[in-house]
Amino acid sequence: MKSISNSSLDTTVIDWPVHMQRAIDLAQRVRTATPNPRVGCVLVKGFEVIGEGWHVAAGEAHAEVVAIGNAGKTNTCTEAFVSLEPCAHTGRTAPCSEALIAAGVGKVIIASLDPNPQVAGKGVEQLEQAGVEVYQLVDFEDQSREMNPGYFKRREEGIPYVRLKLAMSLDGRTALANGQSKWITNKAARSDVQKLRASASAVITGINTVLTDDPSLNVRSAELPENQDGLESGAKELAHQPIRVVVDSQLRTPGTAKIICNEGSVKIYSTADFTVGKSLADNVEIVKATVSGEGVDLQFVLESLASDFSCNEVLVEAGPTLSGAFIEAGLVDELVVYIAPRLLGSDAKPLLEIHGLQSLAESHQFQVSHLDRIGDDIRVILKQAP
Ligand code: AOF
Ligand code: ZN
């Protein structure tokens, strides 16, 4: 495989970055293909695009196979631009390397290698053995990784990418002292949270939130319109429900909680010995977790979500205690903070339970990545400082 940068492309291949960008844009037409990565593919013959495809959901055809299906006839002059190395193994579907070879594609241009150990260079190898030229456009590698942060993190580090959602008043409060909190942020901001849930493999909350708010934590398609943001949501994608996860050391989740009663899979992480063999409902699995400090070991929860349930991106929607614990453990990759333009006063409830900092050097530092207005509220997206 030859690695090439955009600046070294000669006039005969000057259109390559345009096609690769298109493949990357197509990949992002789905919010999630969990546990699979988002992948896009563009087939080009003599400067003309003859087929496009993207992977919609696990179990459905891969991007390359969709593009080949759209193109009809291809031949050795055909170039395939794929945002990820074509797979070389039989999983839920047949190998894309073989599909590309069978379609007679002459050149395959990728943005990044696939970290899946079943692929990891084998896709490139198979293509090259069949006489297909393979190139990596290195300037697109970052984009390919950034649009699949959880897929790469799970494969490379064994834990999912963690987003923590927070909603607060201008003075950093989440509820009045009497508990009233519905609603601090407006409808547009709350509907934006639906998008976060729809892109997550799992939504994590704590037992306190279950007991006090009884949230559903599901995706409601009525609040997530089709074609929103230019996404072309298929029925499969709209049907996606993230796994709902409760961090509940003493297994106090009531059988009547909405989080359990709604359709979809639920995992409860508990440290109590009496949880072994106990069952709450058919859709609920109780996982015996290790202890850290006073509660469930959050690193264990993340490792389990990655290795046992193939979670790529997870969303934490919890109260001040669990949210604070995730931050204190250094496990948050991204904060999504909704700020309502109202003041709740200093006896209102704080955003996070984080105590004991003695110097500014100990403060938890993030970098602002995006700043947007959502209806009358503000949304700030922050990433962990390097
Ligand atoms: C590709 N093109 O569009 C995607 C790829 O079980 P399967 O058959 O769906 O395979 C899943 C694996 O295939 C996934 O872990 C990743 O290695 C690769 N994803 N590869 O060539 C695609 N989605
Ligand atoms: Zn494939």
Side-chain angles (χ1 to χ4, degrees):
M1 180 177 73
K2 254 198 205 144
S3 293
I4 36 177
S5 63
N6 290 348
S7 57
S8 64
L9 295 172
D10 67 34
T11 48
T12 59
V13 291
I14 204 75
D15 56 335
W16 280 18
V18 174
H19 299 311
M20 185 56 86
Q21 188 60 56
R22 175 74 179 159
I24 286 176
D25 293 346
L26 291 173
Q28 295 176 83
R29 288 196 171 188
V30 294
R31 289 203 164 87
T32 184
T34 184
N36 286 353
R38 302 170 182 93
V39 182
C41 176
V42 174
L43 295 175
V44 177
K45 193 151 69 182
F47 293 104
E48 194 198 334
V49 174
I50 57 165
E52 292 185 331
W54 62 93
H55 184 49
V56 171
E60 302 284 307
H62 285 187
E64 300 90 318
V65 171
V66 176
I68 291 168
N70 288 339
K73 268 207 148 122
T74 69
N75 62 28
T76 46
C77 297
T78 306
E79 295 159 353
F81 294 83
V82 199
S83 59
L84 190 74
E85 175 187 8
C87 68
H89 69 296
T90 303
R92 278 167 283 244
T93 64
C96 290
S97 51
E98 286 176 13
L100 291 163
I101 294 163
V105 168
K107 288 181 187 160
V108 171
I109 301 100
I110 63 169
S112 74
L113 290 169
D114 184 348
N116 179 355
Q118 289 180 292
V119 186
K122 295 187 197 87
V124 172
E125 208 179 289
Q126 282 190 11
L127 289 164
E128 288 182 333
Q129 273 170 6
V132 179
E133 289 173 41
V134 184
Y135 300 84
Q136 182 185 14
L137 272 182
V138 288
D139 293 324
F140 288 90
E141 183 166 5
D142 285 353
Q143 270 198 72
S144 169
R145 293 176 67 91
E146 279 162 17
M147 73 171 164
N148 284 306
Y151 179 74
F152 279 92
K153 195 166 175 218
R154 168 167 72 89
R155 295 282 188 200
E156 293 173 352
E157 297 173 42
I159 55 172
Y161 182 85
V162 179
R163 277 192 188 96
L164 173 62
K165 169 246 157 182
L166 298 165
M168 66 181 200
S169 64
L170 208 50
D171 49 349
R173 305 284 164 164
T174 58
L176 293 177
N178 67 13
Q180 200 185 334
S181 65
K182 286 196 166 75
W183 297 102
I184 307 289
T185 53
N186 64 33
K187 212 170 154 204
R190 298 202 306 276
S191 145
D192 198 61
V193 174
Q194 284 286 317
K195 296 189 209 167
L196 297 180
R197 286 185 193 167
S199 19
S201 306
V203 178
I204 305 175
T205 196
I207 182 60
N208 287 337
T209 300
V210 170
L211 295 176
T212 53
D213 295 349
D214 194 19
S216 303
L217 298 182
N218 56 357
V219 176
R220 295 181 285 273
S221 46
E223 293 174 39
L224 194 68
E226 222 169 314
N227 294 327
Q228 201 183 7
D229 297 339
L231 288 174
E232 294 181 17
S233 308
K236 275 258 170 178
E237 199 213 343
L238 285 173
H240 164 73
Q241 284 295 341
I243 298 171
R244 296 184 296 273
V245 176
V246 188
V247 176
D248 177 8
S249 61
Q250 295 310 307
L251 195 58
R252 291 184 293 150
T253 303
T256 52
K258 281 192 201 145
I259 201 163
I260 288 180
C261 296
N262 282 320
E263 207 182 308
S265 151
V266 179
K267 313 288 172 198
I268 302 183
Y269 285 85
S270 170
T271 56
D273 287 332
F274 61 80
T275 61
V276 179
K278 189 165 168 145
S279 81
L280 272 172
D282 287 349
N283 60 331
V284 181
E285 184 174 345
I286 300 164
V287 184
K288 181 86 197 299
T290 56
V291 182
S292 170
E294 286 168 19
V296 170
D297 181 349
L298 299 178
Q299 173 81 24
F300 173 91
V301 173
L302 294 180
E303 283 171 12
S304 162
L305 288 175
S307 61
D308 303 333
F309 308 115
S310 303
C311 290
N312 291 337
E313 295 165 35
V314 299
L315 177 68
V316 180
E317 279 196 70
T321 309
L322 186 60
S323 299
F326 266 100
I327 290 183
E328 285 194 302
L331 293 172
V332 176
D333 296 293
E334 185 179 316
L335 290 177
V336 183
V337 188
Y338 298 90
I339 307 170
R342 62 165 97 216
L343 297 166
L344 296 186
S346 52
D347 53 356
K349 304 215 163 147
L351 184 66
L352 297 161
E353 295 289 351
I354 295 178
H355 299 280
L357 298 189
Q358 298 299 323
S359 74
L360 282 176
E362 293 171 38
S363 63
H364 302 277
Q365 186 83 35
F366 292 87
Q367 281 178 339
V368 175
S369 141
H370 291 84
L371 185 59
D372 295 287
R373 183 176 174 146
I374 309 282
D376 290 330
D377 295 329
I378 296 163
R379 184 187 63 195
V380 192
I381 299 177
L382 306 103
K383 303 268 170 81
Q384 205 177 51

